[in-house]
């Protein structure tokens, strides 16, 4: 096994003593939007271990790129792993950068990562996102898209150069379920984690709704809505993974179309609750374990201040103090949820984090506060955390981490002229309310 750049990293000088509050102390890293070569992942693992964290969820596939070598379907990495250019900035005035972006991990590299992480107490949870976020898959294998192959090709489905939620989803033929299961078979040969991510988020249902063949299949299967179809699809994949001895983790949308009287997911499926508490509460009520990763406190791509010099500002303000104020189980949490939460996770989406330094900027020092919450529960005592902060920042300096300084970005960390889309908290909370309406109505 090769040694990583950060071998022998000393523990971060944080309050991480005694028994951890949460068993699952995770970070999700999106290597689909931005491929990071293996040495960067090994360094990231060292840094997570130094923060007392024990799960790295690796988001290996999305509309913008497929990063996992699949021997049975080599075009996934060859074609799905390369996009012609990338969106620069966010929102209506964003542009394209004209720079091809590519990369995928060989199975040997990922085995090395799994072993390296395991030796440092970290489980690598692989994630492939289905049945939505499917453009990179369909660029390589259009036969798995909605409509005939010529129709999919005519839509110019390529690994997406834009960010957002594409409307390309997998079709729901038996052959497509088999394809997905074969890919997960290979994933499970490489990753030994008992938990495997299958996505399930942000599935645009318009194509399914407009496609006569999909509607025919829904009728044959006695499914009354596209939400039920999504639940059916995810249930099939989760059932297959169960035969391999794995349990799934999926984003809280996987509970859409669920019915307590006729569950489609295995009881041991884990809900990653990112859109406020609704999915967490429903998941717990249905008997699922829950990992809490509410975007307002744990999405480290969100902007760190409302300053004009924040690089490509997206999302709501999530300052270091906000990260420290994360209260995973506040007074409103039900007893069922309290009994079902297995942990917390910070999610690092990388649309706008195109270098290792930009990744560092987004993650640190917020990860220090998150790590203490994962270890001790939250919210943190801010005054006491601030007392530890100078030593922690000095430690980050010692590790060569290009973190965000407390008083704002250094000149080279800014992105002057590159637009973002800052959100305010009230409008995001209202949006989350709308997005989770169907979960609130679930039986
Ligand atoms: C997600 O942020 N789409 C899980």
């Amino acid at each position: 096994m090769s040694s990583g750049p950060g071998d022998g990293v000393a523990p971060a000088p944080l309050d991480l003593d005694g028994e951890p509050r949460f068993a699952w102390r995770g970070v999700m890293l999106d290597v689909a939007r931005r491929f990071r070569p293996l040495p960067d992942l090994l360094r990231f693992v060292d840094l997570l271990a130094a923060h007392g964290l024990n799960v790295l969820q690796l988001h290996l596939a999305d509309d913008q790129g497929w990063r996992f070598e699949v021997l049975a379907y080599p075009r996934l990495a060859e074609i799905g792993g390369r996009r012609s250019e990338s969106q620069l900035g966010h929102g209506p005035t964003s542009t394209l950068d004209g720079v091809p972006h590519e990369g995928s991990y060989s199975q040997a590299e990922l085995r090395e990562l799994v072993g390296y992480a395991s030796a440092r107490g970290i489980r690598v949870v692989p994630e492939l996102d289905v049945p939505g976020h499917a453009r990179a898959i369909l660029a390589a294998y259009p036969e798995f898209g909605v409509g005939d192959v010529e129709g999919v090709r005519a839509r110019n489905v390529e690994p997406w150069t834009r960010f957002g939620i594409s409307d390309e989803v997998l079709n729901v033929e038996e052959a497509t379920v088999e394809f997905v299961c074969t890919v997960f078979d290979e994933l499970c040969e490489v990753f030994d984690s008992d938990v495997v991510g299958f996505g399930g988020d942000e599935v645009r249902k318009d194509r399914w709704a407009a496609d006569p063949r999909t509607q025919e299949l829904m009728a044959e299967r006695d499914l009354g809505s596209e939400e039920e179809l999504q639940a059916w699809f995810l249930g099939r994949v989760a059932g297959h993974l169960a035969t391999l001895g794995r349990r799934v983790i999926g984003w809280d949308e996987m509970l859409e179309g669920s019915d307590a009287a006729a569950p489609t997911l295995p009881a041991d499926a884990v809900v990653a609750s990112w859109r406020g508490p609704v999915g967490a509460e429903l998941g717990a009520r249905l008997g699922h374990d829950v990992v809490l990763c509410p975007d307002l406190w744990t999405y480290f791509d969100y902007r760190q201040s409302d300053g004009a010099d924040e690089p490509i500002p997206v999302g709501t303000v999530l300052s270091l103090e906000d990260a420290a104020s994360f209260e995973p189980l506040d007074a409103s949490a039900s007893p069922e949820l309290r009994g079902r939460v297995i942990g917390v996770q910070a999610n690092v989406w990388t649309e706008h984090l195109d270098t290792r330094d930009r990744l560092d900027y987004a993650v640190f020092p917020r990860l220090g506060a998150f790590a203490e919450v994962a270890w001790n529960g939250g919210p943190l005592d801010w005054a006491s955390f601030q007392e530890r902060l100078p030593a922690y920042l000095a430690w980050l300096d010692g590790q060569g981490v290009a973190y965000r300084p407390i008083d704002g970005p250094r000149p080279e960390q800014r992105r002057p002229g590159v637009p973002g889309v800052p959100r305010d908290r009230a409008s995001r909370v209202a949006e989350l309310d709308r997005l989770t309406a169907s979960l609130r109505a679930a039986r």
Side-chain angles (χ1 to χ4, degrees):
M1 185 181 296
S2 72
S3 63
D7 256 1
V9 170
L14 294 164
D15 181 8
L16 305 172
D17 299 322
E19 281 300 300
R21 166 71 182 80
F22 293 109
W24 179 297
R25 302 180 300 283
V27 172
M28 188 276 326
L29 178 63
D30 169 13
V31 291
R33 271 52 174 266
R34 302 289 178 179
F35 177 72
R36 295 248 58 83
L38 184 65
D40 288 4
L41 295 189
L42 301 182
R43 168 186 180 267
F44 199 67
V45 161
D46 281 328
L47 291 169
L48 297 191
H51 285 75
L53 301 171
N54 64 357
V55 173
L56 170 60
Q57 181 169 332
L58 206 55
H59 185 76
L60 285 161
D62 214 299
D63 288 304
Q64 292 80 7
W66 181 280
R67 309 292 171 211
F68 169 58
E69 176 192 34
V70 180
L71 303 178
Y73 292 98
R75 291 207 303 275
L76 285 170
E78 288 164 13
I79 293 174
R82 182 182 194 281
R83 65 175 182 263
S84 55
E85 55 185 335
S86 305
Q87 182 172 316
L88 184 61
H90 214 76
T93 59
S94 63
T95 55
L96 289 161
D97 68 3
V99 182
H101 182 80
E102 68 183 312
S104 60
Y105 305 103
S106 70
Q107 295 195 358
E109 283 182 304
L110 291 170
R111 284 198 170 92
E112 180 179 340
L113 174 68
V114 169
Y116 187 91
S118 166
R120 287 151 182 80
I122 292 186
R123 168 170 41 156
V124 184
V125 172
E127 182 194 1
L128 301 170
D129 207 337
V130 292
H133 289 283
R135 281 184 75 114
I137 300 175
L138 302 184
Y141 295 98
E143 60 267 41
F144 301 125
V146 177
D148 60 23
V149 168
E150 287 321 306
V152 176
R153 287 216 174 95
R155 298 203 293 269
N156 265 334
V157 180
E158 50 173 20
W160 210 14
T161 57
R162 286 282 172 185
F163 301 133
I165 310 169
S166 110
D167 58 3
E168 290 296 343
V169 297
L170 297 177
N171 70 41
V172 293
E173 301 286 348
E174 277 300 320
T176 303
V177 175
E178 271 171 42
F179 154 75
V180 170
C181 291
T182 301
V183 170
F184 273 102
D185 286 345
E186 286 199 30
L187 194 75
C188 291
E189 280 164 22
V190 174
F191 291 89
D192 58 5
S193 166
D194 57 329
V195 182
V196 169
F198 70 165
D201 60 320
E202 297 176 326
V203 183
R204 283 272 161 90
K205 306 188 179 60
D206 316 2
R207 283 201 187 282
W208 284 346
D211 178 54
R213 173 65 183 154
T214 306
Q215 294 300 310
E216 186 181 305
L217 288 168
M218 277 172 57
E220 269 174 29
R221 294 166 186 159
D222 201 18
L223 300 169
S225 69
E226 285 74 28
E227 286 204 339
E228 285 179 32
L229 179 61
Q230 171 180 307
W232 174 90
F233 190 99
L234 292 170
R236 288 289 302 274
V237 179
H240 179 72
L241 282 161
T243 68
L244 304 174
R246 313 297 173 108
R247 59 198 296 219
V248 290
I249 184 167
W251 304 105
D252 55 52
E253 289 94 328
M254 76 173 178
L255 299 172
E256 290 172 356
S258 61
D259 179 346
T264 46
L265 288 169
D268 65 1
V270 182
V271 180
S273 169
W274 70 283
R275 302 178 302 169
V278 180
E281 288 288 354
L282 175 62
R285 186 151 57 77
L286 295 172
H288 296 295
D289 284 345
V290 174
V291 171
L292 296 167
C293 48
D295 69 332
L296 298 174
W297 290 275
T298 69
Y299 269 37
F300 286 175
D301 56 325
Y302 284 13
R303 62 200 169 113
Q304 304 195 51
S305 77
D306 58 8
D309 56 0
E310 220 39 81
I312 315 182
V314 297
T316 54
V317 172
L318 203 176
S319 66
L320 178 62
E321 188 170 357
D322 292 326
S325 74
F326 178 30
E327 184 172 10
L329 290 164
D330 66 18
S332 71
S334 68
E336 289 84 359
L337 181 57
R338 287 174 192 282
R340 280 293 176 185
V341 167
I342 57 172
V344 292
Q345 183 163 291
N347 294 328
V348 189
W349 302 104
T350 56
E351 283 91 337
H352 306 298
L353 310 177
D354 54 350
T355 64
R356 198 187 86 175
D357 279 358
R358 293 200 190 288
L359 180 64
D360 278 2
Y361 178 91
V363 172
F364 303 97
R366 290 187 289 194
L367 194 72
F370 173 80
E372 287 203 359
V373 170
W375 198 275
N376 300 315
L380 303 182
D381 178 325
W382 178 236
S384 147
F385 183 75
Q386 277 181 303
E387 281 167 22
R388 291 187 287 288
L389 199 48
Y392 176 56
L393 298 180
W395 179 88
L396 290 173
D397 279 325
Q399 303 305 323
V401 173
Y403 63 88
R404 180 190 185 278
I406 297 305
D407 50 6
R410 291 194 298 273
E412 73 276 14
Q413 293 174 321
R414 299 175 191 149
R415 303 294 298 264
V418 184
V421 177
R423 304 285 308 272
D424 69 74
R425 189 170 266 248
S427 83
R428 178 60 179 159
V429 168
E431 181 178 51
L432 290 173
D433 233 45
R434 277 196 307 281
L435 289 172
T436 53
S438 76
L439 292 190
R440 234 175 282 110
R443 285 163 286 176

